[in-house]
Amino acid sequence: MNQLFQFLLRQRNLLLFFVLELISLWSVFKYNDYQRTLYFNTTNQWVASLLAQKQEVQNYYQLRDINRELAAENAKLRQEVFQLKAKQAPELKLPYFISEAVLNRYQPVACKVIDLSTQQSQNYLTIDKGTKDGLHPGMAVISSTGVVGKVLSCTENLSMVISILHINNTVSAKLKSSGELGYVKWAGWQPEVAEMMDVSKYKKVVKGDTVVTSDYNAVFPPNVPIGIVAKLGLKKDGNFHDIKIMLLTHFSTLQYVYVIKNRLAWQQAKLEQSKPKTE
């Protein structure tokens, strides 16, 4: 306590100066209309600016919750799209009826991307859902615009996805206009460009056509967009088109994905395993 008093005693001149300054300022704003108005206008502007910045910060942090809600809602809408596409049977001479199980075959689960790579030859993503949410290896992963990859491994709360930007990953595909089959593979260079392989040079291919997942895809639902035909040529062997496509999924800005639960996957796998082995 004595030290405090000694400090105040040493600084008495400075403290007296500050007190007199405060009294002078108070007198100026108290008894002069112009200065008082200027003071209130200035302080009101500062307060308004601070409140606006506070609101912007709150809105920014609320965006995470809003985006999460939108992703969940989009997952429900995408499931309805899958159901509508399943009802669109081709024109047949005989009537075709789709079962309830097949109609509700695919169920999307919205997931947040918490890590990803795009500059390696083998790229992966990490998402915030796992076995607790019903995910398991082999499930398809798509974005709001196109194919992303497939689930490689899972923990209870997280999953790793092997990206389509992986030199050893392929996706069964077809040309939307003609239905011509092939497969899409990434060359390992540009994250926006992939190749469609095994399309015969005798088949018509046009720039601007959309490449989608095929109907015989064991992982992805049919007709999920993959990319747009951007460049055409011939392979060195001269028997197949050299097709470059622009991928529709923008991996550099990817925040949310949808893991597709296939309710009939285990039945299909069981049936295919029971095929007679050829000698």
Side-chain angles (χ1 to χ4, degrees):
M1 184 65 71
N2 291 332
Q3 292 179 352
L4 176 61
F5 286 141
Q6 290 176 4
F7 172 78
L8 294 175
L9 185 62
R10 288 195 303 267
Q11 304 296 331
R12 61 185 182 278
N13 294 330
L14 182 61
L15 293 174
L16 179 60
F17 171 77
F18 281 129
V19 170
L20 293 175
E21 281 289 322
L22 292 173
I23 294 174
S24 299
L25 290 173
W26 177 80
S27 299
V28 169
F29 292 115
K30 176 69 174 177
Y31 300 106
N32 294 276
D33 292 338
Y34 174 77
Q35 284 82 357
R36 184 167 62 251
T37 303
L38 180 63
Y39 166 76
F40 281 114
N41 289 340
T42 304
T43 53
N44 286 339
Q45 289 178 359
W46 288 349
V47 171
S49 177
L50 289 174
L51 290 175
Q53 292 179 5
K54 177 184 177 182
Q55 187 63 41
E56 289 181 2
V57 172
Q58 290 177 341
N59 290 340
Y60 174 78
Y61 284 104
Q62 288 174 354
L63 285 176
R64 292 181 298 181
D65 296 331
I66 294 172
N67 287 337
R68 191 180 297 110
E69 292 173 1
L70 288 174
E73 187 173 350
N74 286 339
K76 295 178 181 179
L77 293 175
R78 187 167 289 276
Q79 184 172 8
E80 293 179 6
V81 170
F82 287 143
Q83 292 174 346
L84 290 174
K85 287 183 177 180
K87 291 179 180 179
Q88 294 175 353
E91 294 183 2
L92 301 173
K93 294 181 179 179
L94 296 176
Y96 171 76
F97 300 99
I98 187 168
S99 67
E100 189 70 21
V102 174
L103 186 63
N104 297 300
R105 180 178 183 177
Y106 299 110
Q107 178 190 0
V109 179
C111 304
K112 180 78 166 63
V113 177
I114 59 177
D115 188 34
L116 82 164
S117 62
T118 59
Q119 302 300 322
Q120 309 299 321
S121 61
Q122 300 177 349
N123 294 291
Y124 301 89
L125 301 87
T126 304
I127 56 178
D128 67 346
K129 298 288 176 63
T131 55
K132 187 175 68 174
D133 306 285
L135 275 56
H136 58 75
M139 287 184 169
V141 183
I142 66 175
S143 69
S144 58
T145 55
V147 166
V148 172
K150 62 182 178 182
V151 177
L152 180 65
S153 58
C154 301
T155 63
E156 184 178 3
N157 299 297
L158 301 173
S159 297
M160 179 175 289
V161 176
I162 181 171
S163 171
I164 194 175
L165 304 181
H166 191 294
I167 58 174
N168 296 326
N169 193 10
T170 60
V171 179
S172 177
K174 67 179 181 180
L175 294 169
K176 188 175 182 179
S177 61
S178 64
E180 184 63 28
L181 296 175
Y183 67 92
V184 170
K185 184 176 182 181
W186 187 54
W189 302 104
Q190 298 171 287
E192 302 86 9
V193 181
E195 299 180 353
M196 186 172 183
M197 317 291 286
D198 284 2
V199 178
S200 172
K201 69 176 182 179
Y202 300 107
K203 302 297 182 179
K204 183 179 179 181
V205 182
V206 295
K207 288 184 180 180
D209 197 0
T210 304
V211 179
V212 299
T213 54
S214 74
D215 300 89
Y216 311 110
N217 201 307
V219 177
F220 293 91
N223 300 311
V224 176
I226 302 175
I228 303 295
V229 176
K231 186 178 179 181
L232 289 172
L234 283 177
K235 293 289 187 182
K236 292 181 179 179
D237 58 13
N239 294 320
F240 297 96
H241 284 291
D242 184 6
I243 304 174
K244 299 292 191 298
I245 67 172
M246 295 295 295
L247 295 174
L248 289 173
T249 296
H250 301 290
F251 286 88
S252 60
T253 57
L254 195 60
Q255 295 186 16
Y256 286 89
V257 295
Y258 304 94
V259 178
I260 309 300
K261 291 182 180 180
N262 184 350
R263 292 189 174 99
L264 301 182
W266 67 273
Q267 296 186 36
Q268 182 177 351
K270 185 177 181 180
L271 282 173
E272 292 176 353
Q273 289 174 0
S274 66
K275 291 179 182 177
K277 296 183 179 180
T278 57
E279 297 181 358

